[in-house]
Amino acid sequence: MPVITNIDDLKRLHRKRTPKMFYDYCESGSWTEQTFRENTTDFDQIRLRQRVAVDMEGRSTATQMIGQDVAMPVALAPVGLTGMQRADGEIKAAKAAEKFGVPFTLSTMSICSIEDVAEHTTNPFWFQLYVMRDQEFLKNIIQRAKDAGCSALVLTLDLQILGQRHKDLKNGLSAPPKLTPAVLADLATKWTWGLEMLGTKRRGFGNIIGHAKDVDDPSSLFKWTAEQFDPRLDWGKIEAIKEMWGGPLILKGVMEPEDAIMAAKTGCDAIVVSNHGGRQLDGALSSIRMLPAIMDAVGDQVEVHLDSGIRSGQDVLKALAMGAKGTFIGRAFIHGLGAMGEQGVTKALEVIHKELDISMALCGRKSVEDLDRDVVLVPEDFTGRWA
Ligand SMILES: Cc1cc2nc3c(=O)[nH]c(=O)nc-3n(C[C@H](O)[C@H](O)[C@H](O)COP(=O)(O)O)c2cc1C
């Protein structure tokens, strides 16, 4: 077993062990990938203040996100096609999250269905909703999430239409993959992946096939999804979904203070400052850069979470120090899954936890609740002067 010391180690293994089509699907942003790159490089600009002679015994990273206990404020973000990175990927990731004590969020576009994940876990998980035009499907999937005991609905606001990721088009991304000569040549070197895939029946979009009208196989599914993402989603529809769901609600994909104010007005439980990991609007600023303005706008009204660009426990610490109450990780846990299945997701969480705990201690703080702006050094022009 290789020695894993950081998320980059898992990323290298992920690349080696997963078909190119799915690795590329994970490791890409839209168009020029500027936002995708800056999500991580902007974290690097923030530095930490080393403090000494502070009693560091009895530290804890435990806290709450939307009133739910978490071992550290790091949830697994919704990631479509997780079950293509590794067979039964959503079940494996959900189990790792459950054992670690952090929330798992199941994507609408998952391979394993809501019911399947519920059947293989004991703790409630969060369900991420993409709003579709088909009202019957929408009502039905919300009801299915309720029936499965999901403890929060994460409503994604930044994907009414799909951002273009060049690699997906060039690779002919599909689930399951079409067995072209290039794909077969690639699979020949990824045999563990292939064997595990042959051993599972979960190879299509489990939440959709058999649940949406006239979608019974992968080919009808692609047509359906292309037509179904609802471009008409607005604040009125968000209110209606809030009513329909009736439980804890997290609004994901908020990047501007004006939108954060609108989101807070809905009475949601949290917002996620997120640019979808740089996969939607290329040219948007990184989410860590937008965090201060959003904290100023709504920090006293609603819980603020952040994702996009987190690759270490130090990144988590920086986001918390700048006001976020919680964070989400996407690629960081997918690298773990692609590298080593459930064990790899656990490893990713352990790496992040250790980095958070040690950095927190060296900054002279004993709990994540104590992290504040004094912990970090932020360049004066970090948020930038944009007109
Ligand atoms: C491969 C991939 C698939 C994703 N699929 C979804 C999805 O189905 N629903 C959603 O709300 N966000 C989705 N996201 C965005 C993540 O939830 C999250 O916002 C993003 O990954 C955070 O950035 P990070 O990967 O840099 O941590 C996806 C991200 C990736 C990398």
Side-chain angles (χ1 to χ4, degrees), residues 251-317:
L251 296 180
K252 174 173 182 282
V254 177
M255 283 289 287
E256 288 292 331
E258 294 97 305
D259 290 338
I261 291 166
M262 293 300 288
K265 277 192 192 146
T266 66
C268 65
D269 295 79
I271 62 169
V272 190
V273 181
S274 167
N275 53 39
H276 217 101
R279 299 165 73 77
Q280 285 295 99
L281 180 64
D282 188 38
L285 289 180
S286 66
S287 39
I288 191 66
R289 263 202 215 216
M290 290 310 299
L291 181 62
I294 293 195
M295 290 310 303
D296 285 348
V298 297
D300 55 350
Q301 294 162 43
V302 68
E303 200 167 299
V304 177
H305 300 168
L306 176 137
D307 79 17
S308 300
I310 293 179
R311 300 288 180 275
S312 72
Q314 290 212 331
D315 294 342
V316 173
L317 182 143

Side-chain angles (χ1 to χ4, degrees), residues 50-57 360-366:
Q50 173 177 308
R51 301 298 305 274
V52 293
V54 179
D55 178 359
M56 290 172 187
E57 207 164 73
M360 195 173 79
L362 294 175
C363 288
R365 301 296 160 97
K366 286 210 311 199

Side-chain angles (χ1 to χ4, degrees), residues 21-171:
M21 175 188 296
F22 300 119
Y23 175 82
D24 282 354
Y25 168 63
C26 168
E27 198 52 18
S28 57
S30 54
W31 288 321
T32 70
E33 302 192 331
Q34 178 184 40
T35 301
F36 171 50
R37 283 189 301 278
E38 288 183 359
N39 276 338
T40 48
T41 54
D42 282 353
F43 269 109
D44 298 340
Q45 289 192 38
I46 302 170
R47 306 295 160 82
L48 305 176
R49 294 180 65 212
Q50 173 177 308
R51 301 298 305 274
V52 293
V54 179
D55 178 359
M56 290 172 187
E57 207 164 73
R59 296 185 308 279
S60 170
T61 59
T63 181
Q64 291 195 326
M65 285 171 80
I66 56 159
Q68 299 177 18
D69 290 333
V70 292
M72 62 176 173
V74 180
L76 300 196
V79 170
L81 275 78
T82 292
M84 279 291 129
Q85 301 290 350
R86 198 81 178 210
D88 308 334
E90 290 88 1
I91 293 176
K92 287 175 181 157
K95 281 185 167 176
E98 171 170 299
K99 287 179 198 154
F100 206 90
V102 294
F104 170 76
T105 317
L106 183 74
S107 164
T108 296
M109 303 310 289
S110 59
I111 300 295
C112 304
S113 68
I114 305 175
E115 293 77 9
D116 226 356
V117 175
E119 204 176 300
H120 290 86
T121 50
T122 42
N123 287 353
F125 54 94
W126 296 351
F127 179 66
Q128 176 265 328
L129 181 69
Y130 278 134
V131 179
M132 305 289 181
R133 285 177 188 268
D134 181 340
Q135 288 302 300
E136 212 182 299
F137 176 82
L138 189 68
K139 276 191 200 137
N140 188 29
I141 202 162
I142 291 175
Q143 189 58 47
R144 286 168 60 201
K146 277 191 211 177
D147 293 346
C150 292
S151 55
L153 188 74
V154 178
L155 178 55
T156 299
L157 304 182
D158 60 3
L159 202 142
Q160 285 161 271
I161 54 170
L162 193 67
Q164 177 169 314
R165 302 141 206 166
H166 300 324
K167 289 178 216 154
D168 293 350
L169 297 176
K170 290 185 171 136
N171 289 330

